Amino acid sequence: MNEIGVRLILWKLPIFSMAVQKKRSNAVIESFCRSIFAARLGSALFPDGNPVVVHYAMFLPALMGQANSEQQTYWINRAWAGDVIGTYAQTELGHGTFLRGLETTATYDPETKEFVLNSPTLASYKWWPGGLGHTANHAIVVAQLYTQGECRGIHPFVVQLRDVETHEPLKDIIIGEIGTKLGMNSANNGFLGFRNFRIPRENMLMKNSKVLEDGTYVKSTNDKLTYGTMVFVRVMLLHDLLHYLSKAVTIAVRYSVVRRQGQINPEQPEVQILDYVTQQNKIFPHIATCFAIKVTASWVLDMYHAVQSQVHQANYEKLPELHSLSCCLKAVVSADTAAGIEQLRLSCGGHGYMTASNLPTLYGLATAVCTYEGENTVLLLQTARYLVKSWKQAMDGEPLPESVEYLNEAAKGGKHRRWSNDLECLIDAYSAVAAGSVRLAAEHLYRRIRDGVPIEEAWNQTGIELAQCAEAHARAFIVKTFAKAIKQLNSKSKEFRQVMFQLCELYIVYWALRNVGNFLRFSSMQKEHVQPLHSRLEYLLTTIRRNAVGIVDGFDFDDHILCSALGAYDGNVYERLFQEAMKSPLNHETVNMFFKKYLKAFVKSNL
């Protein structure tokens, strides 16, 4: 491993040291535990999904965010000890991202001081929670609260599902596993229904909203506090996606220096396929994306903890900004990761199609994130609502939060800086594209409303542009955050800083070319600027080539964690592929029973 690889190992997310030194909240410790179960160790033990990850990823964080102090003392101690294995049951067969449409009911009975849970329709059955099928014995169930004859909206409840000794489902609980999926098939995702199932009043998580013994409902001081767990999970998903993509690029780079195919110079031997610029273009932008995700995820995690501290002081000012960022970043990063892993799989040719490459499994894990914890298009539209509101504030001359400050200049009609094809110009251009997209979407939305279109229908009709402006906003945020982090690497060696700068520039140039139409529309870029930008891309690919192996070695994946015949550290690709092939049950006998039973008769039939 060269110096670049060693330094990249050292430049890791500091979540472990923060947790050990107890400089952060319990949520950081939980996120560290989650990183163990979901990422490095977990991916070695459970390559296709972990049945207890939701216990650490959502059950415990939900208790910390939604339970009062007495409930936390009781439930967290039991959950941490393993007496309680929990999951988070929110999504239903008929409703997912639209939380207000959830149908599961929890009706308070003041005579017995209990909640009665029911699944009134098949569509109201909980569907998808990881570990629910066979592992969990408890769940946090999100249901419509009814008390004193009124529906009070969705609220979380701790519900015991199985006997803690026998693990048998409790009476009036309907529970099972939903079946095979594209990926995560060892996570035993489950379904859950209730038939007049009773739980104590104390099992409603009451840090925010409360139901008193007589049924009186005490509303939360801020409705958005209910969604704290979802925001936390979306922030932490960025770290999971970084893990998946880092593994995929490691596999693709290592395979591409072993695999030799074709000749660039007819008089020379076959070349490593990583020497082809087309191969570099398939792989290197995704290496850069790993670092872009890493920096962004760390920034947003810090923001999450800062906002949590403010919320404890009853300061909710930055909650909307955090929510909007968590939505659009989850959507954009998951889409980029899923598409990136698929391209990396294709860069490995036919061998990448084999399960032994681990690329199909990684794709299954990454593409699942595009729809769970909020379907991506819906999340982009949620961010768009925040952006449209921010645009109106900018037009009214009001101050804006940091992530949307760039709208101020656009609202004043400021001119774009002259195009210079340097990094600062490109970073400004990303903000210009985001601002132009937001402005256009807002103008078209308001025009429809002025023309008499009902507000929600106007939002629907403008949906494509609204989703696009949210994506542009996320891309601009990632670019600015990445560039700022690279500029602050003064304590690192000159060589390390140079490689990181090249990766940052590659990310910025690559996505500018991918979205060149919007840059021509909304920034000062002209058509004559496109070719120099493409030439810069080619130069960066060639420059990064010499350090590509060292960079992915810096991700420090043990072979047992990488789980790939193509990406093993020793480079023995063909030997490992053959060993994996010999593990097939079809190779346990030279002639399978199907020959005598079916094929021989077919061959002899003289058709």
Side-chain angles (χ1 to χ4, degrees):
M1 188 183 303
N2 63 17
E3 186 224 4
I4 298 299
V6 172
R7 290 186 177 275
L8 287 169
I9 289 175
L10 296 176
W11 195 54
K12 288 183 176 179
L13 180 69
I15 189 169
F16 174 75
S17 60
M18 289 192 301
V20 171
Q21 296 169 21
K22 297 182 179 179
K23 292 182 178 179
R24 298 284 179 154
S25 68
N26 286 342
V28 176
I29 299 176
E30 303 305 348
S31 66
F32 170 63
C33 292
R34 181 174 188 271
S35 71
I36 292 236
F37 281 93
R40 299 246 168 191
L41 178 60
S43 64
L45 298 174
F46 304 96
D48 200 19
N50 189 326
V52 298
V53 71
V54 178
H55 176 76
Y56 292 93
M58 298 190 73
F59 186 79
L60 277 164
L63 289 173
M64 288 187 290
Q66 305 295 325
N68 61 31
S69 57
E70 293 82 4
Q71 291 172 323
Q72 287 186 12
T73 300
Y74 179 75
W75 288 108
I76 291 179
N77 288 339
R78 298 179 69 206
W80 194 250
D83 299 330
V84 165
I85 301 174
T87 188
Y88 191 87
Q90 177 172 284
T91 297
E92 296 176 354
L93 187 55
H95 283 93
T97 308
F98 183 61
L99 299 184
R100 285 178 293 163
L102 297 179
E103 298 179 70
T104 302
T105 61
T107 305
Y108 184 64
D109 181 354
E111 292 187 5
T112 61
K113 298 180 178 57
E114 294 175 318
F115 290 101
V116 184
L117 273 64
N118 271 297
S119 304
T121 66
L122 180 62
S124 70
Y125 275 45
K126 297 300 180 182
W127 197 267
W128 277 116
L132 175 63
H134 292 286
T135 304
N137 54 26
H138 285 69
I140 290 177
V141 175
V142 180
Q144 300 285 359
L145 168 63
Y146 285 84
T147 182
Q148 296 180 334
E150 292 186 40
C151 179
R152 309 292 185 170
I154 60 169
H155 290 73
F157 303 82
V158 180
V159 181
Q160 183 175 345
L161 308 175
R162 297 174 178 273
D163 185 286
V164 293
E165 297 296 332
T166 67
H167 209 59
E168 287 289 337
L170 300 180
K171 187 175 182 294
D172 301 321
I173 293 280
I174 305 100
I175 194 170
E177 211 267 345
I178 66 172
T180 56
K181 311 166 292 290
L182 177 64
M184 297 188 175
N185 284 301
S186 58
N188 68 85
N189 299 84
F191 63 80
L192 173 64
F194 302 100
R195 292 176 183 159
N196 294 316
F197 186 77
R198 291 177 173 266
I199 59 174
R201 182 184 70 89
E202 293 77 13
N203 280 33
M204 174 182 168
L205 298 185
M206 296 194 194
K207 180 178 180 179
N208 302 309
S209 302
K210 301 177 180 64
V211 172
L212 305 183
E213 288 190 3
D214 64 356
T216 300
Y217 177 69
V218 181
K219 188 177 180 180
S220 171
T221 55
N222 190 308
D223 291 337
K224 292 183 174 63
L225 294 175
T226 309
Y227 304 106
T229 303
M230 297 297 290
V231 172
F232 171 73
V233 172
R234 287 167 188 158
V235 170
M236 294 311 301
L237 281 176
L238 301 182
H239 296 284
D240 285 354
L241 292 162
L242 167 62
H243 178 76
Y244 303 149
L245 188 60
S246 300
K247 280 178 130 179
V249 294
T250 301
I251 295 166
V253 168
R254 289 179 176 176
Y255 175 78
S256 296
V257 295
V258 172
R259 181 73 167 183
R260 293 178 178 271
Q261 189 162 301
Q263 298 168 293
I264 296 176
N265 184 338
E267 297 179 359
Q268 297 293 325
E270 287 191 291
V271 298
Q272 296 170 311
I273 61 174
L274 198 60
D275 287 336
Y276 290 105
V277 176
T278 50
Q279 185 76 347
Q280 295 167 10
N281 192 46
K282 290 178 183 177
I283 297 174
F284 294 172
H286 303 300
I287 299 178
T289 299
C290 289
F291 290 94
I293 296 172
K294 177 184 182 62
V295 167
T296 304
S298 298
W299 193 98
V300 177
L301 183 61
D302 286 341
M303 181 184 183
Y304 171 83
H305 291 303
V307 171
Q308 285 294 98
S309 297
Q310 293 170 7
V311 167
H312 290 320
Q313 304 299 321
N315 179 357
Y316 310 120
E317 181 182 349
K318 294 188 74 68
L319 263 179
E321 182 185 21
L322 174 62
H323 178 258
S324 72
L325 281 172
S326 72
C327 286
C328 67
L329 290 174
K330 181 269 184 185
V332 169
V333 171
S334 62
D336 287 355
T337 300
I341 292 175
E342 173 63 0
Q343 189 172 41
L344 292 164
R345 181 187 70 79
L346 293 171
S347 77
C348 294
H351 291 163
Y353 192 67
M354 296 189 68
T355 302
S357 74
N358 200 29
L359 292 168
T361 300
L362 289 171
Y363 177 75
L365 294 169
T367 196
V369 185
C370 295
T371 47
Y372 70 65
E373 307 313 324
E375 192 275 334
N376 280 357
T377 301
V378 176
L379 292 186
L380 289 173
L381 292 174
Q382 288 185 22
T383 298
R385 288 187 180 272
Y386 177 79
L387 294 175
V388 169
K389 181 180 178 181
S390 298
W391 175 254
K392 184 179 185 303
Q393 291 173 326
M395 293 294 289
D396 292 340
E398 299 178 22
L400 294 177
E402 180 183 356
S403 65
V404 288
E405 278 182 339
Y406 64 89
L407 295 176
N408 279 325
E409 189 66 26
K412 296 174 185 175
K415 293 184 179 180
H416 303 309
R417 64 181 289 173
R418 184 170 180 172
W419 193 266
S420 57
N421 251 11
D422 61 24
L423 205 58
E424 292 302 322
C425 175
L426 280 165
I427 293 170
D428 286 348
Y430 272 89
S431 293
V433 169
S437 301
V438 172
R439 173 185 58 79
L440 206 61
E443 288 177 352
H444 291 171
L445 173 68
Y446 292 143
R447 186 189 66 197
R448 288 184 166 107
I449 293 172
R450 287 195 303 270
D451 290 344
V453 179
I455 293 177
E456 289 305 318
E457 181 56 31
W459 276 92
N460 178 46
Q461 292 179 13
T462 321
I464 295 174
E465 289 175 301
L466 289 166
Q468 289 172 344
C469 80
E471 181 178 349
H473 169 69
R475 195 74 65 190
F477 179 82
I478 294 170
V479 162
K480 286 184 285 189
T481 305
F482 193 6
K484 184 178 179 180
I486 299 308
K487 291 175 184 176
Q488 295 174 346
L489 292 175
N490 296 327
S491 63
K492 307 299 179 183
S493 70
K494 177 183 176 181
E495 294 78 12
F496 176 78
R497 284 187 280 113
Q498 183 179 41
V499 172
M500 291 308 305
F501 185 87
Q502 290 165 354
L503 290 167
C504 179
E505 188 175 8
L506 176 60
Y507 181 88
I508 292 171
V509 170
Y510 175 80
W511 282 106
L513 288 170
R514 286 284 301 269
N515 295 287
V516 69
N518 283 333
F519 279 76
L520 292 170
R521 288 174 73 192
F522 298 121
S523 75
S524 59
M525 178 190 279
Q526 302 295 318
K527 63 180 182 181
E528 60 267 23
H529 300 139
V530 178
Q531 185 54 47
L533 204 59
H534 181 78
S535 298
R536 187 64 184 172
L537 173 72
E538 294 171 338
Y539 168 77
L540 288 167
L541 294 175
T542 303
T543 304
I544 292 169
R545 166 64 180 94
R546 67 176 71 103
N547 284 311
V549 175
I551 293 170
V552 299
D553 282 353
F555 293 140
D556 194 26
F557 286 114
D558 183 271
D559 285 350
H560 294 93
I561 290 172
L562 201 60
C563 303
S564 174
L566 305 190
Y569 188 78
D570 62 14
N572 293 327
V573 171
Y574 304 133
E575 293 88 342
R576 289 176 180 273
L577 280 174
F578 195 81
Q579 290 168 4
E580 290 299 317
M582 293 309 295
K583 294 177 183 178
S584 170
L586 295 178
N587 290 322
H588 291 173
E589 52 189 356
T590 55
V591 179
N592 190 272
M593 59 169 288
F594 82 89
F595 174 75
K596 293 180 180 179
K597 194 170 183 180
Y598 302 111
L599 186 58
K600 185 174 182 179
F602 176 77
V603 170
K604 300 296 184 180
S605 62
N606 282 326
L607 292 178

